[in-house]
Amino acid sequence: MRNLLQSAKMGILFSIVLCEEGRASLCYRECDDNDPDKEHFYRTLVTKSKTDHPPINMPYRSCTKVMVGSCNVLVCFSIPHHGIDDPIYICNPYTREYVNLPGITEKDGLVVSGFGYHQVTNEYKVVRIYNKFLDQASAAQIEVYTLGSSHGWRKIGKVACQFLSSPGILVDGALHWLDRICRTITAFDLVDEEFKLILSPPCLNNSGKYSSYRLHEVGGHLCVVHKEPSDRVDIWLLKMTGRNKLCDSSMNRHDSYDSSWSWCKEFSIAWQGLNKCEDYEPFALLKNNNVLLWYNRAVLCCYDLEAKTFKKLMGDAAAGDLKYFQAIPHKNTIVSLKALGEKSKLRKCIEINEW
């Protein structure tokens, strides 16, 4: 556990809306520093000038995922319309560049999307998977948009899966989704643009009636958050073990997860709520054995794994209620949409808070 946390070099991009302000702010934090102090956290997020979101509609329901993903400073947003979350806006918050992608023409159905980058091809791709509400039994249409290709959205086939509505999780050049019916994990390789089933953790096949699951990326590893209401939250990581670590390659790791790969239950958080309606959503590990998590979709907390204690950072009476909150992995690098071949535009005023 400690070795993983010490080696993880990552940042988190927060999208936060306070009820009292009613507008979104983008804030960035490196996650290899000290334990976040509540007063410092609140002061930097509330008293500093806020970063207006790009010109997109705000969430029409609390569970809407606005940020699809972040790759090397580029951030992909989905825009809700006609009941569909459409991934059609990409921006660089630091250079103020942005580009609008062609939206889907359908007016009902379900869109599952993801935003990814593969270092071998040096390509950024947006993936959207569409299924009509009236035709749930049929396979879903897969479309891919490659930044700078001038080809627009390409239909590359169909997939007979019913993925959770969460955005695809990018790990080592592949986007990952969890099938909510079969309880399997599927990887979409961004090079060959094909889906592959991957090894599933034991918890997916041995769970209770009210169990729930969600995929994340933690410290460069694919992560499954397994929740047993009124009991615990388990964090499982997919890692390479033994001597085969030395020959790991992101180009072929999705072709076959053999015996050198295994799921490890990295830690558990005991359930401290009073009823099954309460919810914990861990999303980041810090170097000092602390976990950042979202509690009840209203409170941002830090959990100490050694002391087994919670510290509220935002969402309590002192900080004001959170109307909306989302956090995704993020790295600050220099990437130009124009240099990639996109006809990007430049916003006049946009900032991002670093703290």
Side-chain angles (χ1 to χ4, degrees), residues 29-48:
R29 183 187 179 100
E30 294 289 346
C31 285
D32 58 355
D33 55 7
N34 295 325
D35 176 31
D37 176 76
K38 174 181 175 180
E39 295 302 323
H40 174 68
F41 190 100
Y42 172 69
R43 182 172 61 254
T44 54
L45 283 184
V46 177
T47 61
K48 282 188 175 182

Side-chain angles (χ1 to χ4, degrees), residues 294-309:
W294 187 16
Y295 172 70
N296 268 3
R297 298 187 178 274
V299 181
L300 183 62
C301 295
C302 180
Y303 180 77
D304 189 313
L305 293 171
E306 294 182 351
K308 300 185 185 303
T309 56

Side-chain angles (χ1 to χ4, degrees), residues 71-74 92 94 124 330-335:
C71 302
N72 297 335
V73 90
L74 297 181
N92 182 329
Y94 291 90
Y124 295 82
H330 184 78
K331 293 183 179 180
N332 288 333
T333 57
I334 301 175
V335 177

Side-chain angles (χ1 to χ4, degrees), residues 110-130:
L110 176 67
V111 170
V112 177
S113 58
F115 179 49
Y117 168 78
H118 202 292
Q119 61 181 1
V120 173
T121 60
N122 194 33
E123 290 180 325
Y124 295 82
K125 296 182 179 181
V126 186
V127 179
R128 69 183 178 197
I129 304 166
Y130 171 74

Side-chain angles (χ1 to χ4, degrees), residues 117-122 170-176 187-194 196 198 220-221 240 244-257 261:
Y117 168 78
H118 202 292
Q119 61 181 1
V120 173
T121 60
N122 194 33
L170 177 66
V171 177
D172 287 333
L175 292 168
H176 300 76
F188 181 81
D189 192 284
L190 292 173
V191 175
D192 59 27
E193 297 185 348
E194 293 182 355
K196 302 179 179 69
I198 71 168
H221 298 270
M240 177 167 274
N244 290 312
K245 287 182 180 180
L246 299 176
C247 55
D248 179 20
S249 171
S250 61
M251 289 186 292
N252 59 23
R253 62 177 290 180
H254 302 103
D255 292 338
S256 176
Y257 281 99
W261 289 92

Side-chain angles (χ1 to χ4, degrees), residues 146-195:
T146 303
L147 294 186
S149 68
S150 301
H151 295 150
W153 287 101
R154 296 178 289 110
K155 294 183 179 181
I156 63 170
K158 294 186 177 182
V159 58
C161 293
Q162 296 189 38
F163 298 135
L164 291 175
S165 59
S166 303
I169 302 301
L170 177 66
V171 177
D172 287 333
L175 292 168
H176 300 76
W177 283 276
L178 181 63
D179 190 308
R180 60 186 177 87
I181 303 298
C182 301
R183 289 189 176 181
T184 55
I185 300 175
T186 304
F188 181 81
D189 192 284
L190 292 173
V191 175
D192 59 27
E193 297 185 348
E194 293 182 355
F195 279 102

Side-chain angles (χ1 to χ4, degrees), residues 15 24 26 52-59 65-67 76-80 86 88-90 98 100 324 347:
S15 177
L26 291 178
D52 290 338
H53 248 307
I56 63 177
N57 298 325
M58 287 311 300
K65 296 293 184 182
V66 172
M67 290 195 292
C76 179
F77 294 88
S78 66
I79 300 179
D86 203 3
I88 59 175
Y89 185 96
I90 296 177
Y98 73 94
N100 291 310
Y324 175 77
R347 283 177 57 77

